[in-house]
Amino acid sequence: MTPDTLSATFAALADPTRRAILARLTAGEASVTDLARPFAMTLPAVSKHLRVLERAGLVARSRAAQSRPCRLEAAPLRGATAWLETYRGFWETGLDRMDSYLRELQAARAAPAAKARRKPHGRKA
Amino acid sequence: MAAKPEPAPLEGAHELVIRRVLAAPRALVWEVWTTPAHVLQWWGPHGYTAFACTMELRPGGRWRVGMHSPAGDTMWTSGEFHEVVPPARMVMSFAWDDAGAEAPMLGGPTVVTVELGERDGQTELVLRQHGFATSASRDRHAQGWIECLERFVILL
């Protein structure tokens, strides 16, 4: 999973129609006609979304049948999920520390100035 | 066909959204996010210690935070402020200068939006991070090139 692959995955996922198409494909393979049915969209419009998903490696199309059914490719989604969890951890940890620090800072500022000078703020372990 | 529940991960699959209520007034949360001495107290993943921070707090200004990893490695996060609206909103780019072995997991440059709302003396923080900043700017670059080529073709 390279940064460029991740970017392509997220760019493809940014559109709600494309996310809905992927959600439909988690239930199994589907033709373009099947995929177009729940949306008020023309076949070319759906095909355009599918091309974006194919380029991002999120969808593969079989050449076996005339309908060329589409199927979900899970690997990029797993990469995207791992990325989201990494950054969720990054920010949640920082915000936990910020929360404690805000409490210390407010306590120090509320206390008399002399007391605040004796106890400089420091990070909790 | 049996109705299958839509898988939850896809709904938020395209961006990270974190909501927090902090027991402090909004002006103080803004101060703690934008003042280097305060940033050193909280920035970074679990086990990391921030040791350096610079912030040019204006649109177009740069920011940079250096951290020591638990293994003793030095890592830098940096970016540019796109929007600075104290004490309510900031939009900034976010990248790892050299994430080494972790680079594939951390991805390319992203955009982080932080919004602070005040309610009863507390602060509601909403942080959004998009994972495709490079792609969007690359697409704009690509579009520029295509337009150049189209003009060139017309000239021919």
Side-chain angles (χ1 to χ4, degrees), chain B residues 148-156:
Chain B
C148 281
L149 284 171
E150 280 171 352
R151 279 198 295 274
F152 186 66
V153 169
I154 290 165
L155 286 173
L156 287 175

Side-chain angles (χ1 to χ4, degrees), chain B residues 24 26 55 69 129 149:
Chain B
R26 180 163 71 157
M55 293 220 162
S69 79
Q129 186 172 16
L149 284 171

Side-chain angles (χ1 to χ4, degrees), chain A residues 102-121:
Chain A
L102 283 166
R103 286 168 207 274
E104 286 172 31
L105 201 56
Q106 288 178 104
R109 285 181 181 182
K115 196 179 167 189
R117 273 201 301 276
R118 279 204 310 276
K119 186 178 174 276
H121 48 250

